[in-house]
Amino acid sequence: MRRLIALAVAAAPIALSACTIGPDYTAPESATLVPDAWSANEPAASPTDLTGWWTQLDDEELPGLIERAFASSLTLAEARERIVAARARRGIENADRLPRIDAEASYARLETGDEALVVGGAPPGIEADVYSLGAVAGWELDLWGRVARSVEAADAEIDFAVEDLRASRVALAAEVARELIAIRVIDRDLELINATADTDRDALDIARSRFEAGFGDALDVARARRDLESNLALLPPLRADRREAEYRLAVLLGVAPGSVTVGHAGLPRRDIVPDRGVPADLLLRRPDLRRAERELAAATARIGAAHAERFPRVSLSGSIALQGPDIGDTINPDAFVLSAGPSIAWPIFEGGRIQSRVQQAESIQRQALLRLRSSVIDALAEVETASVRRAKAERRADRLYEAERAAEDAEQLSVDRYTAGQVDFLDVTEARRSRLAIERSRVAAERDALLSLVTLYASLGGGWDPEDAWAVSSRQ
């Protein structure tokens, strides 16, 4: 065993001085991937924290729900396990850099006939038991960097497993926010419809009073009852939608549907203009783009590993065993059998297999570069689209707010005139319907603005923590 170790130590400088063939990875220049500025004009924005952007919406329940989702989401748990698997794959690749030693023990019964012809073995007429106890060692010298390139690729695969986790966090935070916004909008809709139903009841009372006093007719009473029942009919499906949103929220939190209940509150804050920075910032902030860049790095390293298959493989191997016809020979130092030495294998003819692997690796690298460029374009489009939609929804909500004030005035005026007998009840019905439609449209516009704001934060890569323990310890 000492001789095997001495041989390995002597060969170590050769292995350490080995070269690494294949292209060295260089990240693409950002100038070739993104423009200098955004095309959509936005008002001046103050710096915002993208890590915990949901705290800026001023909703008391949202931060707690998102933190619960981060802690218990099954999607995130699966993404963490992918990091564990990537680290294990890296360990498997790196193990090829080191010598391998296996312990062996065996027993064999050896017999040869008197007339047997044995070449390189026991002579004829032998009967013997053979007991053996020893070790076998082997070490492939990574002279051309095949293993080093494989480990380099495995390191990049750890990185994009981490980026997958970060991307899952970004998506999860956005989905939780969207579901909560949906619940808040439904609650606001319910408030509007209930308030309108209360007004409808008052109108029905007025219509009945006028009919009983002889100043109105049964048609006005029927219209008032129709409006009341029509509005009340809107409530059950909205309540069902709210419950379904809570079920979806529970699934995002990794718990059984029905175990999450959201309280009633107003709409989250929407008058926020996130700082988008410059387009090149997306390459640093968005986990999907960071992952695509790491995927390109891994594909580049695999090219070197494929090229190294063309060159000779030099290995050091040896075995030492205590061997003899008696079991006691397995502890007898004088019964040792030692075999050690280098070996070399050089592919001469392999039917184009290595060349095809190189071509395949180069094609995979080009595909990874194309995916990175495509992902960058998609990311830019997402940011631009979310910015435009948020701004348009904001302007629409502001316009509808003014229209709502005017509709309320028109409704009140029609009620006053109907009470004074100056107009028909149909005028009151039309004014009330118009006011409710405008109010619900305004709430829908606020919902669109909030959803676009959430989408904008997600498209900017907001929601992942650079100090996350899984990311920091990914190579530890």
Side-chain angles (χ1 to χ4, degrees):
M1 181 61 70
R2 288 195 300 270
R3 297 183 184 181
L4 287 178
I5 295 174
L7 184 62
V9 171
I14 301 175
L16 294 175
S17 63
C19 63
T20 302
I21 65 173
D24 293 324
Y25 176 70
T26 303
E29 291 291 337
S30 61
T32 64
L33 299 176
V34 296
D36 295 331
W38 301 103
S39 64
N41 293 324
E42 280 284 331
S46 58
T48 50
D49 180 16
L50 295 178
T51 300
W53 56 263
W54 45 86
T55 60
Q56 300 168 33
L57 302 186
D58 292 344
D59 189 289
E60 292 184 357
E61 288 188 89
L62 181 57
L65 289 171
I66 290 179
E67 290 304 320
R68 283 182 61 188
F70 285 166
S72 60
S73 167
L74 299 179
T75 300
L76 293 189
E78 182 181 354
R80 294 186 188 103
E81 287 302 322
R82 285 196 292 270
I83 296 177
V84 174
R87 292 173 61 185
R89 286 194 298 271
R90 199 265 185 193
I92 294 171
E93 297 286 359
N94 190 60
D96 287 340
R97 285 177 163 175
L98 307 174
R100 177 174 177 174
I101 302 176
D102 297 321
E104 288 188 350
S106 66
Y107 162 77
R109 175 65 180 174
L110 177 63
E111 295 184 10
T112 60
D114 293 337
E115 303 298 328
L117 177 61
V118 181
V119 179
I126 292 296
E127 294 183 9
D129 295 319
V130 179
Y131 297 89
S132 178
L133 177 65
V136 177
W139 186 16
E140 179 185 340
L141 304 181
D142 191 27
L143 298 179
W144 319 111
R146 180 186 64 84
V147 177
R149 290 301 192 190
S150 296
V151 172
E152 181 182 339
D155 284 335
E157 288 171 356
I158 294 175
D159 292 337
F160 65 65
V162 170
E163 298 305 333
D164 279 343
L165 173 62
R166 290 169 171 170
S168 296
R169 284 175 60 97
V170 171
L172 182 61
E175 286 302 315
V176 171
R178 290 187 184 104
E179 294 300 339
L180 185 67
I181 289 170
I183 292 173
R184 298 293 187 233
V185 170
I186 290 172
D187 286 344
R188 183 60 182 139
D189 251 354
L190 291 171
E191 290 176 5
L192 292 175
I193 294 170
N194 280 319
T196 301
D198 291 339
T199 305
D200 289 340
R201 292 186 183 94
D202 294 339
L204 179 58
D205 292 339
I206 293 174
R208 283 172 175 169
S209 298
R210 286 177 58 81
F211 174 69
E212 293 170 357
F215 295 107
D217 56 25
L219 181 59
D220 289 346
V221 177
R223 285 172 174 168
R225 185 182 298 112
R226 177 202 62 192
D227 290 345
L228 174 60
E229 296 300 330
S230 296
N231 287 328
L232 291 177
L234 298 174
L235 297 177
L238 284 175
R239 291 181 180 130
D241 289 344
R242 189 186 196 281
R243 195 61 179 156
E244 290 176 9
E246 287 183 331
Y247 291 157
R248 293 192 297 270
L249 195 56
V251 172
L252 292 173
L253 268 59
V255 297
S259 56
V260 174
T261 303
V262 177
H264 295 267
L267 292 175
R269 178 185 174 189
R270 59 181 173 85
D271 58 335
I272 306 171
V273 182
D275 181 13
R276 297 181 300 172
V278 297
D281 292 340
L282 289 184
L283 298 175
L284 300 177
R285 286 200 304 233
R286 280 191 53 137
D288 59 332
L289 300 186
R290 294 163 61 96
R291 183 199 191 280
E293 185 271 332
R294 291 286 82 202
E295 188 176 6
L296 176 60
T300 303
R302 295 292 182 196
I303 294 176
H307 272 295
E309 295 284 348
R310 301 171 184 251
F311 296 90
R313 288 194 180 189
V314 178
S315 300
L316 301 178
S317 60
S319 65
I320 185 170
L322 299 177
Q323 182 175 298
D326 298 318
I327 192 169
D329 290 328
T330 58
I331 58 174
N332 181 4
D334 292 330
F336 77 88
V337 178
L338 173 65
S339 173
S343 64
I344 183 169
W346 196 339
I348 302 300
F349 178 77
E350 28 66 43
R353 176 182 56 85
I354 296 177
Q355 178 61 26
S356 295
R357 284 186 176 178
V358 171
Q359 292 175 350
Q360 181 187 42
E362 290 173 343
S363 176
I364 291 174
Q365 185 214 34
R366 292 192 294 269
Q367 293 175 46
L369 179 58
L370 292 172
R371 279 195 299 272
L372 173 58
R373 291 175 175 171
S374 177
S375 298
V376 169
I377 293 173
D378 290 342
L380 294 171
E382 288 177 11
V383 174
E384 298 280 19
T385 301
S387 298
V388 170
R389 287 181 176 175
R390 187 203 64 81
K392 288 185 175 179
E394 284 284 343
R395 289 193 293 269
R396 184 168 182 265
D398 292 340
R399 294 285 186 181
L400 287 171
Y401 180 82
E402 297 300 325
E404 183 181 336
R405 302 284 76 78
E408 289 174 350
D409 294 341
E411 180 185 1
Q412 186 59 49
L413 183 60
S414 64
V415 170
D416 293 342
R417 288 183 176 181
Y418 172 72
T419 304
Q422 297 176 355
V423 297
D424 188 80
F425 188 75
L426 184 59
D427 292 339
V428 176
T429 298
E430 291 178 351
R432 184 161 294 134
R433 285 181 177 177
S434 177
R435 187 262 305 164
L436 179 60
I438 292 174
E439 283 181 335
R440 297 190 71 187
S441 295
R442 191 256 304 167
V443 172
E446 291 184 326
R447 175 202 63 205
D448 293 342
L450 283 167
L451 293 178
S452 297
L453 179 61
V454 170
T455 300
L456 179 56
Y457 273 119
S459 65
L460 291 172
W464 62 274
D465 185 0
E467 301 301 323
D468 180 80
W470 280 89
V472 172
S473 64
S474 62
R475 294 191 185 175
Q476 296 178 359

